[in-house]
Amino acid sequence: SDLGLAGTELPEALEGHAATALARRVASLALVACGLRPDEAQAQLELPLIGLVSAPQASPTLAGETVAADAADLCIRMLSSGQPHRALPATGSVCTAVALRMPGTVVQRLARPARAGEPSRLAMPSGVLVVDADVAVEDGEPLARSGTLYRTARRLFDGSVCY
């Protein structure tokens, strides 16, 4: 909402949105400020993942279906290499899982409270992705011990070879 978005937009809607350009610019400036790129022009060549998160709500999918608000714990859209992602990148998904379990993060504040012993569900343009993380607090500081991404397997090929 801070960027004038609902958090449920599909990639095509994010493509030309002013918020996407602003997010790209902030990411570029962050890379320069962190010393990872010498200037903004070079920073735009390789942007970090940008996550746009919102509280659980009914959200459309690319297949024309709707993910019900109670079917997910967080709505998320990501930009990868500055472009709206049609699903969620694996690295961004695991980082989101950690942020869901880390006290005080924006992600945790927006998400449905974590269910003890249960993974979290992320509503995204392609449906729902299940993630989990083990985050502890040691010496007053959060420590991410692990992150998990659950994927389904699908048959990529079925055939026979004649020789």
Side-chain angles (χ1 to χ4, degrees), residues 48-106:
L49 292 175
I50 300 168
L52 305 169
V53 294
S54 65
Q57 57 186 308
S59 57
T61 69
L62 292 167
E65 300 169 349
T66 299
V67 174
D70 63 354
D73 301 310
L74 181 77
C75 288
I76 184 165
R77 303 300 190 251
M78 283 199 170
L79 305 178
S80 178
S81 298
Q83 299 302 311
H85 205 285
R86 297 180 64 79
L88 290 179
T91 51
S93 300
V94 172
C95 290
T96 303
V98 169
L100 279 162
R101 305 285 184 188
M102 194 165 286
T105 63
V106 170

Side-chain angles (χ1 to χ4, degrees), residues 7-78:
T8 60
E9 288 79 6
L10 292 176
E12 296 78 27
L14 290 174
E15 189 65 44
H17 199 283
T20 303
L22 177 61
R24 289 180 185 133
R25 176 96 199 281
V26 169
S28 296
L29 294 172
L31 285 171
V32 173
C34 291
L36 297 174
R37 295 291 179 266
D39 57 50
E40 191 176 347
Q42 289 190 14
Q44 290 184 5
L45 298 175
E46 179 186 328
L47 292 174
L49 292 175
I50 300 168
L52 305 169
V53 294
S54 65
Q57 57 186 308
S59 57
T61 69
L62 292 167
E65 300 169 349
T66 299
V67 174
D70 63 354
D73 301 310
L74 181 77
C75 288
I76 184 165
R77 303 300 190 251
M78 283 199 170

Side-chain angles (χ1 to χ4, degrees), residues 84-147:
H85 205 285
R86 297 180 64 79
L88 290 179
T91 51
S93 300
V94 172
C95 290
T96 303
V98 169
L100 279 162
R101 305 285 184 188
M102 194 165 286
T105 63
V106 170
V107 171
Q108 188 192 51
R109 287 195 315 265
L110 288 172
R112 180 173 285 114
R115 301 171 315 258
E118 294 287 324
S120 298
R121 304 159 301 165
L122 306 177
M124 59 168 175
S126 293
V128 176
L129 182 66
V130 180
V131 296
D132 203 359
D134 178 13
V135 176
V137 177
E138 292 185 8
D139 299 324
E141 295 294 324
L143 172 68
R145 292 184 177 149
S146 68

